[in-house]
């Protein structure tokens, strides 16, 4: 704006808090930057089987939205209570969006951004090494990912080693422990 002096807004944030927040942001950013990039070359992969992703219906999206849990959301997300109050208005446009993402194979760049929250590793961390970064992804990204996870699970469940207990339906670490004890007991007979 020319000719006008913009009034500075006071948000009640101390300069010291801003410096601390920027320092924490820099620390968490350095952690991410220090990780080696994922390499997609050199990993032998079999040619993909032909697979037609099913269309996501408006009713499927409706029921996912109605069953959303109150989880942490990013600062730019629509509040979960509001999404749950109006799934009939959101499910149509979202099902179209989800189907386009699947058809094009392009994940929206907006969904690739997350909001990092520092979680203390100990009761009262003295410095930034006492916190770990947890990334929250946008809520609609999570909803779409739940459809993809279900498709992939259906495709690979019968190919997984039966001794795999982690992240499997109706199994737990207790099943694994019983399996180990049973295996060791069988060897001692």
């Amino acid at each position: 704006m020319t000719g006008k002096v913009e009034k500075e807004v006071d948000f009640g944030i101390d300069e010291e808090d801003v410096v601390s927040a920027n320092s924490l942001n820099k620390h968490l950013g350095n952690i991410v930057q220090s990780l080696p990039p994922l390499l997609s070359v050199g990993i032998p992969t079999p040619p993909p089987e032909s697979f037609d992703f099913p269309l996501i219906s408006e009713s499927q999206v409706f029921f996912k939205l109605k069953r959303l849990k109150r989880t942490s959301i990013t600062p730019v997300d629509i509040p979960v209570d509001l999404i749950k109050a109006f799934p009939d208005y959101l499910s149509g446009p979202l099902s179209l969006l989800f189907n386009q993402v699947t058809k094009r194979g392009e994940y929206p760049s907006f969904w690739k951004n997350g909001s990092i929250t520092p979680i203390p590793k100990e009761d009262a961390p003295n410095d930034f090494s006492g916190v770990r970064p947890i990334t929250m992804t946008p809520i609609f990204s999570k909803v779409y990912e739940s459809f993809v996870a279900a498709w992939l699970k259906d495709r690979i469940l019968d190919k997984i080693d039966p001794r795999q207990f982690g992240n499997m339906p109706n199994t737990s670490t207790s099943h694994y422990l019983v399996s180990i004890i049973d295996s060791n007991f069988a060897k001692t007979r």
Side-chain angles (χ1 to χ4, degrees):
M1 301 175 105
T2 28
K4 289 187 177 181
V5 176
E6 300 239 354
K7 184 178 177 184
E8 193 171 305
V9 179
D10 180 17
F11 291 105
I13 301 172
D14 294 335
E15 185 66 29
E16 189 175 307
D17 290 338
V18 171
V19 170
S20 273
N22 287 336
S23 297
L24 177 60
N25 188 33
K26 186 176 180 180
H27 172 75
L28 296 177
N30 287 338
I31 292 171
V32 173
Q33 294 300 321
S34 69
L35 299 173
L38 297 175
L39 299 174
S40 60
V41 290
I43 301 172
T45 55
E49 296 175 25
S50 146
F51 177 67
D52 293 324
F53 288 99
L55 288 176
I56 300 172
S57 72
E58 195 171 321
S59 63
Q60 288 173 304
V61 175
F62 177 88
F63 287 113
K64 290 255 187 198
L65 296 179
K66 279 301 260 187
R67 293 186 181 113
L68 279 177
K69 295 180 182 171
R70 285 194 185 114
T71 59
S72 299
I73 59 172
T74 65
V76 295
D77 270 334
I78 299 172
V80 173
D81 289 339
L82 196 56
I83 293 170
K84 288 177 78 166
F86 298 102
D88 42 346
Y89 293 102
L90 295 168
S91 57
L94 283 174
S95 67
L96 292 173
L97 175 64
F98 293 165
N99 287 319
Q100 281 301 309
V101 167
T102 305
K103 180 180 175 184
R104 292 184 180 177
E106 296 176 16
Y107 209 69
S109 59
F110 178 75
W111 286 355
K112 294 177 187 178
N113 296 323
S115 178
I116 296 176
T117 301
I119 304 294
K121 294 179 186 176
E122 53 206 42
D123 285 340
N126 295 328
D127 59 7
F128 297 140
S129 64
V131 297
R132 65 187 150 144
I134 300 295
T135 305
M136 297 180 296
T137 54
I139 195 87
F140 294 139
S141 175
K142 290 179 190 176
V143 173
Y144 177 71
E145 288 169 8
S146 70
F147 285 110
V148 175
W151 296 333
L152 293 176
K153 190 173 170 185
D154 288 345
R155 298 280 296 174
I156 66 169
L157 208 51
D158 61 338
K159 297 171 179 64
I160 294 177
D161 187 325
R163 295 170 294 181
Q164 169 68 35
F165 294 98
N167 295 315
M168 297 297 292
N170 304 315
T171 65
S172 69
T173 54
S174 298
H175 290 97
Y176 180 64
L177 293 173
V178 168
S179 170
I180 289 174
I181 292 169
D182 185 50
S183 173
N184 286 336
F185 183 70
K187 289 177 186 177
T188 60
R189 284 187 190 171

